[in-house]
Amino acid sequence: EEQTIQKLNRRFTEKHADLEKYKKTGGQIGKDFRFGTGSSPTGRLALTIPDLDKLISEGLPGLRKEIEKFRREETTFSDALEIAVDTIADAIEIYRKQAADFLKEDPENTELELLVNTLENIKEKKPETFYEGLQLYWIYAVLSDLMNHGRMDIYLGDLYVQDLEAGRIDEELAIRYLTDLYRQYKFIGKVHDTRVVIGGKGRRNEANADKLAMVIMETSRRVKDVVPQLTLRYYKGMNEEVFDKALKVNAEGCSFPILYSDDTNVPAIMKVFDVSETEAETYIPAGCGEYVLESRSIGTPNSAINLLKALELALHNGRDCYYNEVAGPDTGDLKDFTTFDKLWDAFTKQIDLELAIVAWGQKECYNLIEENGVYLHLSLLMKDCIERGKPLFEGGVRYLNGTTEIMGMISAADSLTAIKKLVYEDKKMSLEELVHILDCNFEGYEKERKMMQACPKYGNDDEYADDMALKVFNYIAEQSIAYTDIIDINKFNMVSVNNSESAVWGTYTMASACGRKNGEAMANANGASIGGDKNGVTALLNSMSKFNHGIHAGVILSLIHISSPRDSTS
C-alpha cells in the first residue's frame, strides 16, 4: 500500500474518477499496462541531470559553504542538506578504509596508495586531479542513483588537461580510468539511460573540454558496448577534429557517439521551453532522448501513448482487439466514416482520452513525490534549491516540466495514408473491406497487403506521405502542450524517441494498413516503417527535417545499415 503506484491509484480515485479511461480500467491505475491506447503512469523520477561541474569545481567544502550562505533558520532544509553532504563524506570514508585495509595486505601496491590518498583528499578538499574528480563524481552518482551523467567534458576537462600538462597523466592512462568507469556503467546496467554528453555550445572551457572529448570517444571506440550512450553535440564553427573523430568512430561500427545538431536544437529548445539561449545551451538529450536542461529542469516521462493502437480503436469503435474489450470512447461505426476527416476525428478522440490520463498522471506523480520524498542529493546540485531553501518538488527546481512518450506515430501515419488513398481517393476498397482484411491479419489477402505496402510511405521525401506524418505529429505535439496550463507545470510536451516499446507494444497491436501484421514491431521513433524507406538515407533525413522542432521535447531517428555478404564497404 505504500508503493507509489498504489498511492497514485488512490489519488486518481479521489480526484479523477470521472476520466473515461480510468472508469474503463475498473478504477485501477496500472491494472494492465498494455490495455488500450496508453500505458498507465509509472510513478517515477528520472532524467534529472544535476550540476556535476559545481560538484567537481567546489567539492564538498564548497557545497557546505553554499548551504550556510543561504541558510534559512525557519526551515530544517539546510540541516537536511548538510546531512546529505555528510553522507557523501561518510561513503568516501568507508571506501578509504576499505582501500587502506587492502593496502596493508599489499603495501607495495602504488595504485591502492593513490586511491587511499585520493579518497582522503576529496573528503576534505575539492578535487585537484582528474583521478580525484572521477572518484568524487562516481561516488556521488552511486549515492544519488544517477541515471545520466551530464556533460563530462566540461566537469572533468580542466582537471584532465591540467594533469596532462603537469605530466601526471597521459592519454592512455586516462583511457584506462574511463574504461574502468565504463565497466561500472555496465555493471549497473541501465541500458535505457547512462548518457554521457560531450561537445556543444555554451561550454566555459571549450579547448580543454575538446581534448577530453577526444579521449572519451577513443574509449568508446575501444570498448564498443551498449553503455554509456555517448552523445556528441556538434555545431558550425566547432573544432572539426572532434567531429571527424566522431564520424570515424561511427564508421568502425560503433553506435556511439550519437549525434545532435546544436544549430537545430538550441533555437528549438529556446522556443519549446521558453528559455534564453544561454539556458537552452545547457540541454541534455537524456535517457532515450528526452530533452532536459542540465541542473535546471525536470522532465520525467511517466507514460506513453500508442498512436497506432488509437487508430485500431477508432476502426473498432473503441474496442481493443488484442484483449477484445472496450478500451476507448464510442467514436462511431465504420459506416459513419463517410469522409477521411470523420475517420480522423475518431482517431484523435481516442488520443484525447488518453492524454487526459497521462497528463494528470504526470502532475499527480509530482505531487506524491513532493509529499513523500525530498531527494536531498539532487537538491544539492539542482538550481535553485539551495538559493530558495526548498527541495526539488516544493518550489526548488527552476523548471518543473513533464513529457509523455509517443509510440507508433509513423506506423499510424503510414496506415492513415494508405486508408486515405485506397478507400477515399482511389476507391480500391471500402473501409469495411479494408478493416476486414486487417482483422484477418491479411490471411488470404496478400494482394491487398501489397497494395497497402505500395502506398506512399514516410521516409522517402514524399510530400503526400510526409504531410500525413506531419499532421499526426503536429496534433499530438500541440495537444500535449495544451495540457501545460491545465495541470499547472512549466511545460508539458510529447517526445518521440527510440525505445524498445516500439517492438514490445507492437506485440499487443493488431495488423495495420501500413502493411504490418499482428504483433509485429512498429516503426521505431521517427524512423520509417520497416522496409518502407526506398529512396536512401538522404530522403529519410529530408522527411524527418520537416517536423517542427519547436513543439516537442525530443525526437530521434536511428539509421541502421544492414549489409549484404557482397557489400565490401560495410
Side-chain angles (χ1 to χ4, degrees):
E1 290 303 308
E2 289 303 310
Q3 291 179 359
T4 304
I5 200 68
Q6 295 297 338
K7 293 179 180 180
L8 190 60
N9 188 60
R10 291 197 294 271
R11 184 64 51 86
F12 264 73
T13 300
E14 296 165 4
K15 296 179 63 176
H16 306 292
D18 59 321
L19 292 176
E20 187 70 18
K21 168 73 181 294
Y22 189 68
K23 289 189 289 186
K24 289 184 184 298
T25 57
Q28 289 292 317
I29 292 293
K31 178 185 178 184
D32 198 316
F33 186 71
R34 310 292 174 187
F35 184 60
T37 304
S39 70
S40 297
T42 56
R44 66 174 182 168
L45 172 62
L47 311 186
T48 304
I49 317 296
D51 192 348
L52 296 171
D53 192 30
K54 176 180 174 181
L55 173 70
I56 302 304
S57 62
E58 297 187 11
L60 301 190
L63 293 179
R64 295 185 193 279
K65 288 180 181 178
E66 186 172 11
I67 293 167
E68 193 59 36
K69 177 181 177 182
F70 292 100
R71 175 177 293 279
R72 287 170 169 77
E73 297 301 333
E74 69 274 14
T75 74
T76 59
F77 182 56
S78 296
D79 296 329
L81 289 177
E82 285 190 343
I83 294 171
V85 177
D86 289 341
T87 64
I88 302 173
D90 289 345
I92 292 170
E93 178 60 15
I94 288 171
Y95 290 130
R96 189 200 66 78
K97 287 180 178 178
Q98 289 178 350
D101 288 342
F102 286 128
L103 184 59
K104 289 177 184 177
E105 300 172 6
D106 187 8
E108 302 301 318
N109 191 319
T110 56
E111 292 189 4
L112 279 173
E113 184 179 10
L114 173 62
L115 180 57
V116 171
N117 293 335
T118 292
L119 294 171
E120 183 66 44
N121 289 343
I122 63 174
K123 181 182 172 184
E124 305 295 339
K125 300 183 295 185
K126 69 178 183 180
E128 296 178 346
T129 67
F130 180 67
Y131 187 67
E132 290 182 357
L134 269 176
Q135 293 291 354
L136 179 59
Y137 141 69
W138 185 242
I139 290 172
Y140 170 85
V142 172
L143 285 176
S144 62
D145 194 28
L146 203 61
M147 295 184 184
N148 294 276
H149 303 273
R151 303 179 75 176
M152 185 175 285
D153 57 343
I154 297 180
Y155 61 81
L156 291 176
D158 290 345
L159 292 175
Y160 169 68
V161 173
Q162 176 183 295
D163 283 2
L164 201 64
E165 292 175 348
R168 287 189 291 266
I169 199 172
D170 59 21
E171 183 176 317
E172 287 301 318
L173 183 55
I175 290 171
R176 189 181 136 205
Y177 290 156
L178 290 168
T179 300
D180 288 342
L181 177 64
Y182 281 25
R183 287 197 192 99
Q184 301 302 317
Y185 291 150
K186 187 174 182 180
F187 174 78
I188 289 177
K190 294 176 178 175
V191 297
H192 293 96
D193 297 279
T194 319
R195 286 261 187 166
V196 170
V197 178
I198 57 176
K201 295 182 176 180
R203 291 176 295 170
R204 57 170 176 75
N205 55 347
E206 188 169 313
N208 290 348
D210 281 345
K211 290 180 180 179
L212 181 56
M214 297 288 283
V215 173
I216 295 172
M217 284 190 284
E218 178 61 21
T219 306
S220 288
R221 186 189 76 82
R222 297 184 189 184
V223 174
K224 286 185 175 69
D225 216 323
V226 295
V227 290
Q229 292 189 51
L230 183 61
T231 298
L232 174 68
R233 289 174 40 184
Y234 68 94
Y235 53 96
K236 292 178 182 177
M238 69 178 290
N239 181 350
E240 289 296 329
E241 185 181 3
V242 174
F243 190 52
D244 289 345
K245 176 71 173 180
L247 297 180
K248 289 175 182 177
V249 173
N250 286 158
E252 289 190 14
C254 297
S255 299
F256 308 112
I258 307 170
L259 304 176
Y260 282 77
S261 169
D262 276 11
D263 297 316
T264 297
N265 291 325
V266 170
I269 288 166
M270 290 172 64
K271 181 177 180 181
V272 72
F273 287 160
D274 191 22
V275 296
S276 68
E277 183 175 2
T278 299
E279 287 199 299
E281 287 173 349
T282 69
Y283 83 92
I284 299 285
C288 302
E290 300 90 343
Y291 294 148
V292 294
L293 302 178
E294 186 177 41
S295 77
R296 290 165 171 80
S297 78
I298 288 173
T300 301
N302 270 342
S303 56
I305 298 178
N306 182 348
L307 298 189
L308 186 59
K309 177 63 78 168
L311 180 56
E312 178 187 311
L313 265 60
L315 294 174
H316 297 85
N317 201 10
R319 181 169 293 276
D320 184 325
C321 296
Y322 182 87
Y323 291 100
N324 196 28
E325 291 186 29
V326 174
D330 301 333
T331 48
D333 296 323
L334 295 178
K335 61 180 175 58
D336 299 323
F337 304 144
T338 54
T339 66
F340 178 79
D341 287 343
K342 290 182 178 180
L343 173 61
W344 174 263
D345 288 343
F347 169 64
T348 56
K349 285 177 182 176
Q350 298 292 342
I351 296 171
D352 294 344
L353 175 77
E354 194 61 42
L355 264 175
I357 289 284
V358 300
W360 279 112
Q362 182 86 74
K363 176 64 172 179
E364 298 299 354
C365 179
Y366 285 167
N367 289 342
L368 284 168
I369 292 174
E370 177 184 342
E371 295 164 16
N372 292 277
V374 180
Y375 288 91
L376 288 171
H377 287 113
L378 291 176
S379 295
L380 275 172
L381 298 176
M382 292 292 289
K383 294 178 173 50
D384 302 299
C385 295
I386 293 179
E387 295 91 329
R388 294 174 177 175
K390 296 179 179 180
L392 281 178
F393 289 94
E394 295 180 36
V397 72
R398 185 173 296 182
Y399 302 113
L400 185 61
N401 299 335
T403 57
T404 185
E405 295 181 350
I406 302 303
M407 307 296 164
M409 182 176 71
I410 299 303
S411 296
D414 282 348
S415 296
L416 286 165
T417 296
I419 293 171
K420 182 179 181 182
K421 184 167 181 58
L422 295 176
V423 174
Y424 294 101
E425 293 183 356
D426 296 349
K427 302 188 185 303
K428 297 286 187 181
M429 61 186 74
S430 68
L431 186 59
E432 289 85 350
E433 290 170 332
L434 183 143
V435 172
H436 174 72
I437 291 168
L438 299 182
D439 290 345
C440 292
N441 196 27
F442 298 108
E443 292 182 11
Y445 295 98
E446 191 58 34
K447 176 184 174 183
E448 287 78 4
R449 184 188 183 205
K450 289 180 178 178
M451 290 172 58
M452 296 182 201
Q453 290 173 324
C455 286
K457 295 283 190 291
Y458 162 88
N460 296 290
D461 201 10
D462 181 301
E463 185 175 352
Y464 187 93
D466 292 349
D467 281 352
M468 186 65 73
L470 291 175
K471 184 179 177 72
V472 176
F473 177 93
N474 289 340
Y475 185 84
I476 188 64
E478 290 167 359
Q479 291 299 108
S480 299
I481 292 171
Y483 270 95
T484 296
D485 292 335
I486 294 173
I487 64 175
D488 190 26
I489 61 175
N490 289 102
K491 297 292 177 183
F492 187 72
N493 296 99
M494 73 85 165
V495 297
S496 181
V497 292
N498 288 343
N499 195 304
S500 56
E501 285 301 311
S502 298
V504 175
W505 221 335
T507 306
Y508 299 83
T509 305
M510 311 310 283
S512 47
C514 58
R516 61 171 285 285
K517 290 188 173 183
N518 290 350
E520 290 184 349
M522 303 182 293
N524 192 9
N526 306 285
S529 292
I530 297 173
D533 49 328
K534 306 289 187 181
N535 293 343
V537 170
T538 303
L540 177 56
L541 293 172
N542 285 342
S543 290
M544 185 176 172
S545 71
K546 298 171 186 177
F547 291 132
N548 178 357
H549 295 295
I551 57 174
H552 67 78
V555 298
I556 301 296
L557 173 64
S558 281
L559 297 175
I560 303 174
H561 171 58
I562 300 177
S563 62
S564 70
R566 297 180 180 179
D567 188 350
S568 61
T569 64
S570 63

